Amino acid sequence: MLTEKEVLTTLEMLRNEHLDVRTVTLGLSLFDLATHDAARFQDRLLSRITGMAASLVDVCDEVGDIYGIPVVNKRISVSPMAVVGAPFSSRELVQIAMTLDQAAQEVGVDFIGGFSALVEKGLARGDLSLIEAVPEALTATSRLCASFNVATTTAGINMDAVLLLAKTIKAAAARTADQDGLACAKMGVFANIPQDVPFMAGAYLGVGEPNAVINVGVSGPGVVKRALERAMEADDHLALDEISEVIKRTAFKVTRIGELIGREVAKRLNVPFGVVDLSLAPTPNVGDSVGEIFQVLGLAHIGAPGSTAALAMINDAVKKGGAFASSSVGGFSGAFIPVSEDLNIAQAAAEGHLTLPKLEALTSVCSVGLDMVALPGDTSAETLAAIIADEMAIGVINRKTTAARLIPVPGKKAGEKAFFGGLLGEAVIIPVPGSGGSDRFINLGGRVPAPLQSLGN
């Protein structure tokens, strides 16, 4: 039972500490729409999405108004298009991408995800066509997101897919050179991707999911920061285990709010409720940064020695508190460290405190991975592939989700700034140590075998 004081702090979270429901994502299965006729498929696609999601935005706003809790983003995820659209050519898949974007615009959602392929063990015809379509599809649309799973703990790492996607990232960046490679901000490469993620760019609806489902992503970096500040002001001798307890109790309250909103939205749309994703998702706003939590904990900045231990503690505490608050937890569930989307993290990278190797170390304990990292435009596809492969290896060996959302900014070098706008923010381009030294290894191709599941150490 929450105490009166805890109820009041929850109200304070809503009023002054950026507490919101970051996203309500409607997942839609498209498998029953499959056909060899591309035009017919697009008609069915548009009809399904605009029909099922017609009232999504209005319902989210109504529920948000009733409870005084804003739902910041409303999104849609669909079945992986490489499977549903397997018969189609890359040209036809570009047209399908534009139909998805049109549907998203008609129902008023922020993003639609699911232009996706699962290629951890190999590349089928539909996968190759979809990947070939990605650069043009992400350039020609504004709300479409793409994701690719290239590795799992049980299958290993598909290195052919890793290199192919690195070349795709380069091509997407080149097509949006006048926007600092913005298309790359709408695609992620994953290991062990969950099937119920509400956050972009990884959201898609997996094969084991229902016909329609509501998944919710909560926020809360600002809330956790203020809860820690209050606790440490009241007692400046708090130990780390006591600090972890404060984070757990805060995560519990945040998760309860997310589940409350999600279940009400699902009820009003007459679809099942899926999961709450417990991730701490920052924004570029002051006071809503994961990086600021590190400073409250006594570190000069994120990236200083001790940052990995601090992030591990934060991540674990968020999961423990959230898991106690809900029986329907899923998605990424942890702490995001997207460089451009978190003001404090972006500043640490700009000042040289947060390097690519340190970011990679942090991803061994955070919920996702190298997220929204701006790199020099002349970074080769082989080097991008090597960075992705390193990140996938962390996920595969540690049996967790990891991802790489890398943006080689065309025409810009390390130290210059890249601007993406809105929630995507801006970031200083960071150097890649040892760039060009992995070409021979990457070009070997093949698959890194799945790791042994016993003999852990």
Side-chain angles (χ1 to χ4, degrees):
M1 176 70 72
L2 293 178
T3 66
E4 183 177 330
K5 184 178 178 182
E6 287 175 316
V7 172
L8 291 174
T9 58
T10 303
L11 292 173
E12 181 70 12
M13 292 175 185
L14 293 167
R15 289 174 182 160
N16 301 318
E17 298 171 8
H18 304 286
L19 178 59
D20 51 45
V21 172
R22 182 55 50 83
T23 179
V24 169
T25 301
L26 173 62
L28 294 176
S29 174
L30 304 179
F31 291 117
D32 60 324
L33 306 186
T35 170
H36 282 75
D37 185 328
R40 190 176 180 191
F41 180 69
Q42 289 175 70
D43 288 341
R44 290 178 172 181
L45 199 59
L46 191 61
S47 176
R48 169 65 55 85
I49 296 171
T50 55
M52 292 290 292
S55 57
L56 173 64
V57 172
D58 289 341
V59 167
C60 288
D61 289 341
E62 287 169 12
V63 173
D65 289 343
I66 289 171
Y67 291 99
I69 302 167
V71 177
V72 179
N73 300 300
K74 300 88 176 176
R75 297 168 174 174
I76 295 170
S77 63
V78 298
S79 308
M81 193 51 63
V83 179
V84 185
F88 304 126
S89 67
S90 60
R91 172 53 51 193
E92 290 169 323
L93 283 164
V94 170
Q95 295 300 315
I96 289 167
M98 296 173 74
T99 301
L100 288 169
D101 198 60
Q102 179 189 345
Q105 291 188 45
E106 288 190 14
V107 299
V109 296
D110 309 278
F111 285 113
I112 183 166
F115 205 69
S116 306
L118 310 174
V119 294
E120 60 269 15
K121 289 189 76 175
L123 291 148
R125 174 186 159 188
D127 303 322
L128 288 167
S129 295
L130 183 128
I131 292 172
E132 186 181 347
V134 163
E136 185 176 351
L138 294 184
T139 304
T141 59
S142 60
R143 308 187 189 205
L144 183 69
C145 289
S147 59
F148 307 92
N149 196 65
V150 299
T152 67
T153 298
T154 54
I157 307 171
N158 183 346
M159 294 296 287
D160 294 327
V162 168
L163 180 55
L164 178 60
L165 285 165
K167 293 176 178 175
T168 303
I169 290 171
K170 290 284 288 184
R175 280 181 173 270
T176 49
D178 60 338
Q179 298 172 285
D180 285 344
L182 179 63
C184 301
K186 297 186 288 180
M187 65 177 289
V189 182
F190 288 81
N192 293 323
I193 189 171
Q195 301 190 64
D196 52 9
V197 178
F199 288 106
M200 298 296 172
Y204 78 102
L205 192 70
V207 295
E209 296 287 317
N211 196 46
V213 65
I214 286 290
N215 295 320
V216 172
V218 296
S219 178
V223 174
V224 171
K225 179 199 166 199
R226 278 300 299 142
L228 289 176
E229 287 176 337
R230 278 193 295 268
M232 295 173 83
E233 285 167 7
D235 181 355
D236 59 2
H237 291 92
L238 280 183
L240 286 173
D241 54 338
E242 295 168 307
I243 289 172
S244 174
E245 185 66 21
V246 173
I247 299 173
K248 278 169 53 182
R249 294 177 73 85
T250 306
F252 175 88
K253 287 181 273 190
V254 169
T255 306
R256 279 293 207 205
I257 289 171
E259 181 155 334
L260 171 70
I261 296 296
R263 287 193 181 278
E264 186 61 29
V265 170
K267 180 181 174 184
R268 291 179 181 226
L269 290 175
N270 196 29
V271 300
F273 175 72
V275 300
V276 181
D277 186 319
L278 305 177
S279 297
L280 290 183
T283 69
N285 300 323
V286 174
D288 198 26
S289 161
V290 172
E292 290 176 86
I293 298 173
F294 286 73
Q295 293 173 322
V296 175
L297 293 176
L299 293 165
H301 45 73
I302 184 172
S307 296
T308 307
L311 185 56
M313 183 191 74
I314 295 167
N315 223 27
D316 181 65
V318 168
K319 289 183 180 183
K320 286 173 177 170
F324 185 57
S326 172
S327 57
S328 299
V329 173
F332 295 133
S333 290
F336 291 174
I337 51 169
V339 177
S340 73
E341 297 175 7
D342 184 309
L343 184 61
N344 189 278
I345 294 177
Q347 286 176 344
E351 293 166 1
H353 302 309
L354 196 52
T355 62
L356 190 59
K358 186 61 181 177
L359 273 170
E360 185 180 306
L362 290 172
T363 65
S364 66
V365 297
C366 82
S367 65
V368 186
L370 293 170
D371 197 11
M372 292 299 290
V373 180
L375 301 174
D378 61 358
T379 306
S380 70
E382 285 77 9
T383 297
L384 287 176
I387 296 169
I388 294 169
D390 285 345
E391 192 58 37
M392 300 301 104
I394 289 172
V396 166
I397 297 298
N398 291 291
R399 301 169 196 163
K400 69 187 288 294
T401 302
T402 54
R405 191 159 47 149
L406 307 176
I407 307 163
V409 184
K412 292 192 176 180
K413 299 178 181 177
E416 295 185 76
K417 255 190 172 182
F419 302 89
F420 307 114
L423 269 179
L424 299 175
E426 59 187 55
V428 165
I429 297 165
I430 59 176
V432 181
S435 183
S438 316
D439 296 8
R440 187 177 176 193
F441 169 71
I442 289 300
N443 282 303
L444 291 174
R447 185 154 56 96
V448 174
L452 189 65
Q453 299 293 309
S454 60
L455 302 179
N457 57 34

